Amino acid sequence: MNTSALPIQMRGAPDIIRLHGHRGARGVLPENTLIGFRNTFEIGVRAVEIDIMITADGVPVLTHNPSLMAAATRGPDGRWLERDSKPVVQMSHDELQQFDVGGLRDGTAYAARYPDQAFLSGIKIPDLAQLVNMVLEPEFADVWLNIEIKSNPDHPDEAPTLPRLVAPVLAVINAAGIADRVLLQSFDWRVLTEIARQAPHIPRSYLTYETRKHPTMAVNVIDGSPWMDGASLAAHNGSIPQVVSNLGGAVWSPYFKDITAKALAEAQALGLVVNVWTVNERADINRMIDLGVDGIITDYPARAQRCLLAKGLSWHEDVTPMPR
Ligand code: MG
């Protein structure tokens, strides 16, 4: 992938940092739902970050965890799940439609993290085709999708084999003719290798989470990690940007607490676009803006809009900051 082929709307520009609504706008609306995506587009943000799992009958659906979270899911009887559901990969698309993912269960740790999230009922897990249909609406002609394909090399039972994980996603994209409006990302770089094989023309984003004292999820970039698909940091002077560039990545997407000015400069000098995740607090958003990343993935896209405008910056060519 030559990054010059990356569509202009996916790159930063002078005075422009792109905003990606994380899981739609998780801070204010239920995650990975059509209402969350539509709201994000309607406030003028041009990209959403979404998570894909594949059902037992091969349908790409928009949900984050290998199983439906008890804290965010009601069953067909309208009651909260007592524990996480069986794995999504073991459920048919029809079976998944019985669940309501419109709200968070009060009293859970997960609900406490998003106190401002709206509570809705009757909200189904969407499939990728439904979101693609939305972005085909004329008023959304310039929006695009940052699609994360979920896969865990330590738990291969949570997803189909790589070819069958990637192919249905590409089928939906190709059927709609929106290959130039998508970025495909994954923490599991084996998925990205498979995308390069099946669809080398679609830009790929390499997600990273580095070693730290108290990791809250799997660290994926460390030599010998199964997440890196055999790539070696040691062979690239320990430089993640160099590894990503050599793998043909168009985008490097690090955890925002991992990024340094030096690594950002190195990545941008290599022609990589750098999108940081998931930046929610104002101070952190401002720090990323000042650092000069290309894109910010956030649960609070409206908050990030205000941060950009306050600095005389924007997230899209059509939006001009107001004079103070
Ligand atoms: Mg994601």
Side-chain angles (χ1 to χ4, degrees), residues 139-160:
E139 63 177 309
F140 298 144
D142 65 347
V143 307
W144 57 280
L145 304 175
N146 186 357
I147 300 175
E148 179 183 354
I149 300 182
K150 301 306 276 188
S151 166
N152 184 335
D154 292 327
H155 295 279
D157 52 317
E158 290 174 354

Side-chain angles (χ1 to χ4, degrees), residues 22-23 32 49-52 64 146-150 185 187 207 277-278 297:
H22 184 243
R23 309 189 194 180
N32 282 313
E49 188 271 355
I50 66 173
D51 304 291
I52 300 257
H64 181 274
N146 186 357
I147 300 175
E148 179 183 354
I149 300 182
K150 301 306 276 188
Q185 59 170 356
F187 285 99
L207 282 158
W277 57 274
T278 298
I297 301 171

Side-chain angles (χ1 to χ4, degrees), residues 46-212:
R46 305 310 209 278
V48 291
E49 188 271 355
I50 66 173
D51 304 291
I52 300 257
M53 304 279 300
I54 305 290
T55 63
D57 47 349
V59 180
V61 290
L62 309 188
T63 188
H64 181 274
N65 288 14
S67 299
L68 304 181
M69 268 185 292
T73 313
R74 282 161 279 170
D77 58 0
R79 294 174 178 275
W80 295 107
L81 299 192
E82 293 197 1
R83 59 190 69 83
D84 289 357
S85 73
K86 70 180 183 183
V88 171
V89 73
Q90 292 176 20
M91 283 192 264
S92 70
H93 179 256
D94 280 356
E95 204 173 346
L96 268 181
Q97 294 307 297
Q98 303 174 61
F99 296 99
D100 186 338
V101 293
L104 300 177
R105 183 174 188 172
D106 206 29
T108 63
Y110 196 66
R113 280 172 62 187
Y114 305 102
D116 298 326
Q117 192 188 93
F119 189 95
L120 306 169
S121 291
I123 303 294
K124 310 286 183 212
I125 294 170
D127 52 67
L128 178 60
Q130 287 176 291
L131 175 59
V132 164
N133 281 339
M134 184 190 297
V135 309
L136 290 175
E137 293 175 21
E139 63 177 309
F140 298 144
D142 65 347
V143 307
W144 57 280
L145 304 175
N146 186 357
I147 300 175
E148 179 183 354
I149 300 182
K150 301 306 276 188
S151 166
N152 184 335
D154 292 327
H155 295 279
D157 52 317
E158 290 174 354
T161 58
L162 292 170
R164 291 197 305 121
L165 173 62
V166 168
V169 177
L170 294 175
V172 173
I173 292 167
N174 289 333
I178 59 159
D180 58 346
R181 295 171 63 188
V182 300
L183 178 62
L184 294 174
Q185 59 170 356
S186 191
F187 285 99
D188 184 350
W189 296 3
R190 300 172 313 148
V191 173
L192 300 173
T193 302
E194 180 61 24
I195 292 164
R197 196 179 69 76
Q198 292 192 31
H201 56 291
I202 298 185
R204 301 183 302 281
S205 173
Y206 288 70
L207 282 158
T208 61
Y209 183 67
E210 295 179 45
T211 310
R212 59 198 353 96

